[in-house]
Amino acid sequence: VRAVLVRPPRPGVTVEEVPPAPLVPGSVRVTVLECGVCGTDHDIAAGKYGRAPDGVPYLILGHENLGRIAEVSAGVPLFQVGDVVVATVRRGCGACPFCRAGRPDFCTTGRYSERGITGAPGYFAEEYVERTEYLVRVPPSLAGVAVLLEPLTVIEKAIVQGEAVRARAAVASGGGGASPTALVAGTGAVGMLASLALRARGYTVTAIDRHDGSTRAAKLLRGVGAVHADVAAGLSALGEARYDLVLEAAGSPSLAFALIDRIALNGVLVLTGIPDAGGTPAPVPEGDLLRGLVLGNRAIVGSVNASRADFETGLRDLAAFESRWPGVASSLITSRRPLDDAPSVVGHRDPGSIKTVLRVADGGPGPPAR
Ligand SMILES: [Zn+2]
Ligand SMILES: [Zn+2]
């Protein structure tokens, strides 16, 4: 089986042959169709992050996946050969109450594994084997965009977290009939999916990055009725505006601090970008910052990973995007490249791309890899 390998903490990416995983009862063998490449993969390839499974000298990279079932073991009544599926990423520790309740995204021991990230093989490979409890079946009509499902689930969870906080003031915010407002920081794949998901929920959306309005992302945002703002010169580009839900998907600590000042009364800032560890102490106006949180009923929430329910919600959202804005979700996939190109694709960030996808099997969705 050809697979994309890393050997953390050593930097570097190779494509090599590895032995196929055995098909154990309750599992299926999945032919990988496409896999998305994201910042986490770049960080693992750079040696910043990632851990190989115990007793294995390498980690198969990749967590954003789409595949087709090729072989079914005994005792798998709900799936059959040919089903298009997406696999979830995190596997619980088995010990904490959250993992036992099926919510490893809230694991409190830290002893979870994540396929393609930490302690479990990923999906940048010709095939993988997985238990069906970790698979979500994709309707054939969504196969062309379902490689975006896994990154979308990060946003689905983040929106659930933010709306749970906003629900504290549901009575107050229900008056007047005005639609809630959202500010999305970042126009990479996660930020773009956040803007689409919030527009689909009726939010008035402003999305910010450090580019002028000529980019593909800015055009797509205008196409879905969102406002794009270039904040290269600072958040003053937003005027005095504050937002009910501020969603950070950029991973910049200084930007995240500046966003606190943009949370509306009773509003919430949800952080999803993962900044590099460390950093230099920054002067923070402690009094102003904490007064603003208390006197405004404001909240700051971090959110990571996603639940199985978020995958189901994500599928419904992808269907909603396709019917409301045909072609926009697939436009987020800016290039499809063959698996053998992984060392260059994963080793170097392409600032012009929104989502680069490795196209693994022939006969998958989308145009041929170039
Ligand atoms: Zn990712
Ligand atoms: Zn746990």
Side-chain angles (χ1 to χ4, degrees):
V1 175
R2 288 184 75 67
V4 177
L5 306 186
V6 290
R7 290 177 167 79
R10 270 198 284 155
V13 179
T14 57
V15 181
E16 298 178 36
E17 288 283 333
V18 299
L23 189 71
V24 296
S27 68
V28 296
R29 189 178 307 282
V30 178
T31 299
V32 176
L33 300 174
E34 297 191 322
C35 275
V37 177
C38 82
T40 301
D41 302 311
H42 293 299
D43 285 349
I44 295 170
K48 291 183 191 174
Y49 199 68
R51 180 171 63 80
D54 291 342
V56 180
Y58 54 80
L59 171 71
I60 300 177
L61 195 62
H63 56 277
E64 303 181 1
N65 67 93
L66 176 69
R68 183 180 289 129
I69 294 180
E71 190 181 358
V72 176
S73 73
V76 177
L78 297 177
F79 287 83
Q80 53 193 15
V81 170
D83 284 351
V84 177
V85 292
V86 169
T88 63
V89 173
R90 191 177 283 196
R91 305 289 173 258
C93 71
C96 81
F98 298 96
C99 290
R100 284 166 177 265
R103 290 302 303 261
D105 56 311
F106 282 120
C107 181
T108 51
T109 66
R111 291 197 297 272
Y112 56 80
S113 60
E114 289 179 334
R115 291 198 66 148
I117 300 173
T118 183
Y123 306 110
F124 290 175
E126 289 173 308
E127 61 172 52
Y128 68 88
V129 168
E130 186 53 280
R131 298 185 59 81
T132 54
E133 67 201 86
Y134 300 120
L135 298 181
V136 178
R137 191 188 284 103
V138 174
S141 59
L142 294 178
V145 292
V147 71
L148 298 170
L149 179 59
E150 195 280 336
L152 176 59
T153 63
V154 172
I155 287 308
E156 299 294 356
K157 177 178 173 183
I159 293 174
V160 170
Q161 305 306 301
E163 294 200 322
V165 173
R166 289 196 59 236
R168 300 168 310 166
V171 174
S173 66
S179 62
T181 57
L183 176 65
V184 176
T187 58
V190 171
M192 292 298 288
L193 290 167
S195 289
L196 295 185
L198 289 163
R199 283 293 298 134
R201 281 164 178 73
Y203 281 77
T204 300
V205 172
T206 301
I208 57 174
D209 61 19
R210 299 168 61 84
H211 303 286
D212 66 24
S214 67
T215 63
R216 177 194 285 237
K219 289 173 189 158
L220 289 172
L221 286 163
R222 287 193 291 273
V224 302
V227 173
H228 167 265
D230 174 1
V231 296
L235 292 185
S236 54
L238 298 172
E240 298 294 307
R242 295 175 191 257
Y243 305 84
D244 299 312
L245 176 60
V246 183
L247 205 151
E248 183 276 339
S252 160
S254 55
L255 174 61
F257 266 103
L259 291 174
I260 296 171
D261 204 33
R262 296 296 173 162
I263 311 170
L265 291 169
N266 308 329
V268 57
L269 164 62
V270 187
L271 304 171
T272 70
I274 303 174
D276 284 343
T280 48
V284 173
E286 296 155 341
D288 289 349
L289 195 153
L290 297 176
R291 274 175 68 93
L293 291 178
V294 174
L295 297 177
N297 296 299
R298 295 179 173 95
I300 304 173
V301 179
S303 180
V304 71
N305 199 252
S307 72
R308 193 185 168 87
D310 297 315
F311 279 76
E312 303 291 351
T313 312
L315 278 178
R316 286 197 291 277
D317 260 353
L318 283 177
F321 301 166
E322 287 288 88
S323 77
R324 190 160 168 192
W325 309 297
V328 167
S330 52
S331 295
L332 300 179
I333 301 169
T334 36
S335 68
R336 286 183 158 92
R337 303 274 297 274
L339 188 71
D340 285 341
D341 283 5
S344 65
V345 171
V346 181
H348 312 280
R349 286 173 199 259
D350 175 3
S353 83
I354 299 175
K355 176 58 70 183
T356 298
V357 162
L358 295 175
R359 190 157 186 269
V360 184
D362 288 332
R370 287 176 270 113

